[in-house]
Amino acid sequence: MSIDVVEPKTISQFEDEQGIYQPAPHIVEQANITAYMRSKGFSTWEELYQWSIEHPHLFWADMANRLEWYEPWEKVLDDSNKPFYKWFVGGKFNIVHNAIDRHLKTARRNKQALIWEGEDGSYRAFSYFGINREVSKFANVLKSMGVQPGDIVSIYMPRIPELVFAMLACAKIGAAHSVIYGGFSVEALRERIADAQSKVLITADGGYMRGKIVELKKIADEAMGHSPSIQTCIVVRRTGHNVEMQAGRDYWWHDLMSLPIATARCETVPVDAEHPLYILYTSGSTGKPKGVVHVHGGYAVYIASTLYFTFDIKEEDRYWCAADPGWVTGHSYIVYGPLIEGATSFMYEGAPNYPYPNRWWSLVEKYGINILYTAPTAIRGLMRFGDAWPNRHDLSSLRLLGSVGEPINPEAWRWFYNVIGKGRCPIMDTWWQTETGGFMITPNPTTPLKPGSATRPFLGIQADVVDEQGHSKGANEDGLLVIKSPWPGMMRTILRDPDRYVNQYWNSDPRGMYTAGDSARKDEDGYFWIIGRIDDVIKVSGYRLGTAEIESALVSHPAVSEAAAIGLPHEVKGTAIHCFVILRAGIEETPALEDELKAHVAREMGPIARPESIKFVSMLPKTRSGKIMRRVLKAQALGQDPGDLSTLEG
Ligand code: WT7
């Protein structure tokens, strides 16, 4: 006989019988989106959304009017040369004027803009006044180095405040920045510097990660050895360990900042709304990484409005986006978005579980974080250590949570919701990409939530799931995720390769929809469920890596003749890299060589690209035209049916 014990399924009072988490009335009542909805005379989000996609010009003009323009735009959208859309045409603008300068005229001048904690426990904080000083000084340094509007400055730094100052200083004087993630290594850095043709590289002696020093300057030295464009390297002293400084090329940041030219007065340069703000390299299905171009005007409008409505930022909030500034998440939602919104952005340098698995939770408690934005891989990683670690801390300051980078599995969602958010904090599962600039499919605090779904498109965004011919799929049918109309935060082109921009994102669809490269389905309520990449991109711990880059790192090793990389499911990383390698004739297959090849990939590309396994094989499945059929390798590894093999080489 069994005794019926009624166990509460969850500690949340907001979960209904269908497993949908209804928004709490007090959150709905005070939400930024509710205020906007009412101001437009609508009584439901659906009506507001419908209006926003029927009158995108009115909606985006509203959003642009939240920001300050030196000169107003003449036209919201110029679509005369699709897909090279232009937004806020004729407007004169600078994102830094909006992120810093305009706050200096208000009481926000003395508000904390950036709070930083190092992995070693060091603490630094900057008010808007303080951040302006650092940025202006460094902008003057860059000018003295000959950096001009239109130049691209490469930045390769740990997660420290100077990274933020460097980005803002470039933008202030109209130069574009290209931030290369500090976890990347020599070849990845060299390739990105070469494509950007940077004359200036900004780096640091090193950074801390899990108590160890990451030797950034050493890696930069190797990369610069093969980067003829570089004339100047500016080095922040972070770790203080010994590094080589090449006379005439390398300068210490602190030396330059104490020169008389580094005054704290520097005019922000008004630029065209369409002036390039930054280049960010991201992996695609083939070939070398793509330099995604974002611009000042539309991008600023887009990230500010998505942050305002989705994360519901309020004046008194302390907001923590735990990503790295080296990725688009950091660009949009650590640096530019929060500063434009006049928020307080918190940044932490190191690993989430260092020295103990409670580090993040202790930071939430210590700094009174209200909004925490992270990735499913981090949630799964911390979940493994058990509930006792977060339960030791007072997490009651949290009001809202966010997730990005890959689909969040419902188990991790519920843990985040119940154990971290204590059943009080809605989770914003934001789907977007480097290319989209900001959130595309995302809930807002008034949206009923289904764990694992990014819910519905943001205001002004028309998303759909279609077949290869561009016809809408029915409810719950898998298909291609597309965006059917332009938006201000969209990428403008690929640096030096506009054809690739057209072919990769627009041409595969005859109706000129933006193809995201993801598969998805839409349920009967119009909720989107992202399935994953349909191209040869692997998402390792939320980081985007191209199989082609991993394979080219492998074949650069003298023992390797051919290589193929695939992604297979992994409990914490989501997906892990597995490689198949054909060795050159006469080379012996040994476990030592396997280790060496793993280390070789990590050295070339960065530790995140280290393969989980390397298998030696004598042949690889290929099409008759010589393309490696990775899906066949994947099906074999998973013991699944490889599907149509008609194009397989006989
Ligand atoms: C790819 C873009 C956007 C910032 C970080 C990643 C996947 C992203 C989600 C989500 C399911 C997601 C997609 C997308 N992705 N967010 N909430 N749910 N999948 O930017 O490196 O450009 O990667 O990340 O596959 O295409 P990215």
Side-chain angles (χ1 to χ4, degrees):
M1 205 191 94
S2 69
I3 305 165
D4 266 352
V5 182
V6 185
E7 285 264 5
K9 239 190 339 183
T10 151
I11 57 168
S12 171
Q13 51 184 317
F14 303 114
E15 186 180 4
D16 69 15
E17 297 77 50
Q18 280 85 47
I20 298 175
Y21 291 72
Q22 298 297 335
H26 70 276
I27 291 184
V28 174
E29 195 47 41
Q30 56 77 58
N32 293 340
I33 190 128
T34 306
Y36 181 64
M37 181 186 86
R38 288 180 184 155
S39 78
K40 303 308 277 185
F42 298 115
S43 50
T44 63
W45 177 88
E46 272 74 17
E47 287 169 35
L48 174 64
Y49 172 74
Q50 207 52 42
W51 168 79
S52 75
I53 59 169
E54 278 163 21
H55 305 280
H57 296 224
L58 298 180
F59 172 65
W60 292 120
D62 259 8
M63 294 300 107
N65 281 325
R66 297 180 65 242
L67 306 184
E68 277 187 14
W69 297 74
Y70 295 111
E71 276 173 43
W73 65 87
E74 286 137 29
K75 211 171 165 197
V76 171
L77 171 65
D78 173 359
D79 59 1
S80 58
N81 183 24
K82 295 175 186 173
F84 297 95
Y85 296 93
K86 290 192 176 119
W87 287 86
F88 308 109
V89 184
K92 288 277 177 289
F93 188 84
N94 191 306
I95 199 167
V96 175
H97 176 82
N98 282 277
I100 302 177
D101 306 5
R102 68 174 175 148
H103 304 310
L104 303 178
K105 297 176 279 186
T106 71
R108 279 187 187 147
R109 177 177 193 266
N110 296 322
K111 177 179 173 176
Q112 281 179 323
L114 182 69
I115 304 178
W116 175 85
E117 186 169 307
E119 199 185 67
D120 57 359
S122 37
Y123 166 87
R124 296 165 76 192
F126 301 85
S127 64
Y128 279 90
F129 177 79
I131 221 173
N132 179 57
R133 186 184 151 77
E134 301 300 324
V135 171
S136 298
K137 280 169 70 80
F138 194 63
N140 281 325
V141 167
L142 288 177
K143 280 203 278 190
S144 78
M145 296 284 179
V147 175
Q148 286 179 353
D151 285 353
I152 304 171
V153 174
S154 287
I155 302 178
Y156 178 62
M157 278 166 99
R159 238 176 307 193
I160 54 174
E162 283 80 0
L163 169 50
V164 178
F165 306 153
M167 291 165 70
L168 292 161
C170 291
K172 189 176 173 73
I173 59 172
H177 52 74
S178 163
V179 180
I180 298 125
Y181 170 57
F184 275 137
S185 200
V186 180
E187 182 50 26
L189 177 58
R190 188 207 58 78
E191 194 172 26
R192 285 157 177 79
I193 291 174
D195 190 71
Q197 285 298 302
S198 291
K199 292 187 290 226
V200 176
L201 173 69
I202 308 168
T203 187
D205 49 1
Y208 288 109
M209 192 44 85
R210 282 193 186 78
K212 292 204 189 74
I213 289 176
V214 183
E215 300 240 16
L216 295 175
K217 178 61 165 61
K218 208 169 143 204
I219 295 170
D221 283 340
E222 267 189 65
M224 282 191 289
H226 305 277
S227 303
S229 65
I230 294 288
Q231 295 164 5
T232 306
C233 177
I234 303 174
V235 189
V236 177
R237 182 173 282 159
R238 164 68 186 123
T239 54
H241 73 289
N242 230 345
V243 294
E244 255 173 57
M245 296 291 279
Q246 185 178 308
R249 185 193 70 185
D250 301 348
Y251 301 88
W252 287 109
W253 172 292
H254 56 265
D255 285 343
L256 298 171
M257 291 288 266
S258 56
L259 292 175
I261 46 111
T263 65
R265 264 190 331 276
C266 177
E267 283 299 312
T268 302
V269 177
V271 293
D272 195 90
E274 287 289 312
H275 188 75
L277 170 64
Y278 66 79
I279 317 296
L280 193 54
Y281 288 89
T282 191
S283 301
S285 22
T286 50
K288 56 180 187 139
K290 304 173 278 199
V292 168
V293 178
H294 283 294
V295 301
H296 275 254
Y299 172 79
V301 171
Y302 195 69
I303 59 168
S305 47
T306 46
L307 187 63
Y308 181 68
F309 287 131
T310 305
F311 283 163
D312 206 30
I313 288 258
K314 298 280 160 44
E315 193 63 60
E316 59 280 9
D317 276 334
R318 287 183 160 195
Y319 157 84
W320 179 14
C321 167
D324 193 284
W327 301 98
V328 74
T329 314
H331 280 56
S332 299
Y333 299 114
I334 297 177
V335 182
Y336 291 113
L339 294 180
I340 294 173
E341 287 302 316
T344 299
S345 192
F346 173 72
M347 189 162 103
Y348 164 62
E349 178 185 39
N353 56 345
Y354 188 86
Y356 301 107
N358 67 333
R359 183 64 183 268
W360 269 21
W361 318 127
S362 75
L363 292 171
V364 168
E365 178 173 19
K366 181 171 174 187
Y367 294 103
I369 302 296
N370 307 106
I371 301 168
L372 173 64
Y373 185 30
T374 182
T377 181
I379 299 166
R380 288 191 298 263
L382 290 167
M383 191 169 112
R384 271 188 320 168
F385 297 110
D387 300 2
W389 292 102
N391 286 347
R392 233 178 237 130
H393 296 277
D394 177 6
L395 304 180
S396 62
S397 59
L398 290 173
R399 193 182 85 234
L400 198 130
L401 303 170
S403 171
V404 64
E406 56 175 320
I408 178 164
N409 48 311
E411 195 198 353
W413 195 100
R414 290 204 177 82
W415 187 81
F416 200 31
Y417 188 83
N418 290 319
V419 179
I420 304 308
K422 310 291 180 210
R424 293 182 297 103
C425 310
I427 298 179
M428 302 298 113
D429 178 356
T430 60
W431 175 87
W432 58 296
Q433 309 177 293
T434 306
E435 295 88 336
T436 69
F439 310 152
M440 297 296 284
I441 300 177
T442 176
N444 64 66
T446 72
T447 311
L449 304 173
K450 302 184 186 183
S453 168
T455 76
R456 300 171 60 176
F458 186 72
L459 298 176
I461 300 297
Q462 297 190 59
D464 200 4
V465 175
V466 302
D467 64 19
E468 300 282 344
Q469 281 72 47
H471 301 296
S472 292
K473 288 280 203 170
N476 294 313
E477 284 177 4
D478 291 10
L480 305 174
L481 181 56
V482 295
I483 310 296
K484 292 182 150 172
S485 56
W487 65 100
M490 65 200 302
M491 70 187 291
R492 295 304 194 262
T493 189
I494 292 176
L495 184 68
R496 297 183 222 293
D497 205 351
D499 290 347
R500 195 164 168 208
Y501 167 65
V502 177
N503 297 331
Q504 187 113 31
Y505 299 100
W506 302 89
N507 254 7
S508 57
D509 187 284
R511 295 170 202 200
M513 301 173 192
Y514 171 86
T515 321
D518 280 333
S519 60
R521 58 178 163 265
K522 204 162 70 165
D523 71 14
E524 52 290 340
D525 298 326
Y527 276 49
F528 285 77
W529 298 78
I530 314 298
I531 302 163
R533 301 290 309 186
I534 44 164
D535 51 12
D536 291 317
V537 164
I538 308 182
K539 281 262 159 172
V540 184
S541 301
Y543 296 125
R544 180 165 158 183
L545 298 168
T547 48
E549 288 166 85
I550 301 161
E551 289 159 5
S552 89
L554 277 168
V555 296
S556 76
H557 189 281
V560 177
S561 147
E562 275 190 85
I566 59 166
L568 294 176
H570 184 281
E571 208 184 322
V572 174
K573 297 178 182 173
T575 314
I577 302 166
H578 294 262
C579 301
F580 300 83
V581 163
I582 303 178
L583 293 175
R584 286 182 191 273
I587 307 260
E588 211 187 321
E589 301 174 357
T590 62
L593 181 58
E594 197 183 314
D595 289 344
E596 190 184 317
L597 292 179
K598 285 184 193 172
H600 176 75
V601 176
R603 206 164 42 238
E604 289 278 303
M605 296 246 335
I608 45 165
R610 174 187 282 271
E612 198 77 6
S613 80
I614 289 185
K615 209 169 155 182
F616 297 119
V617 293
S618 56
M619 64 170 285
L620 290 167
K622 284 190 191 154
T623 63
R624 270 170 238 123
S625 61
K627 276 203 204 117
I628 297 169
M629 294 178 84
R630 295 187 190 83
R631 71 176 166 85
V632 174
L633 288 168
K634 200 166 162 174
Q636 276 169 356
L638 294 170
Q640 293 169 349
D641 174 14
D644 180 14
L645 292 180
S646 58
T647 56
L648 191 71
E649 181 186 41

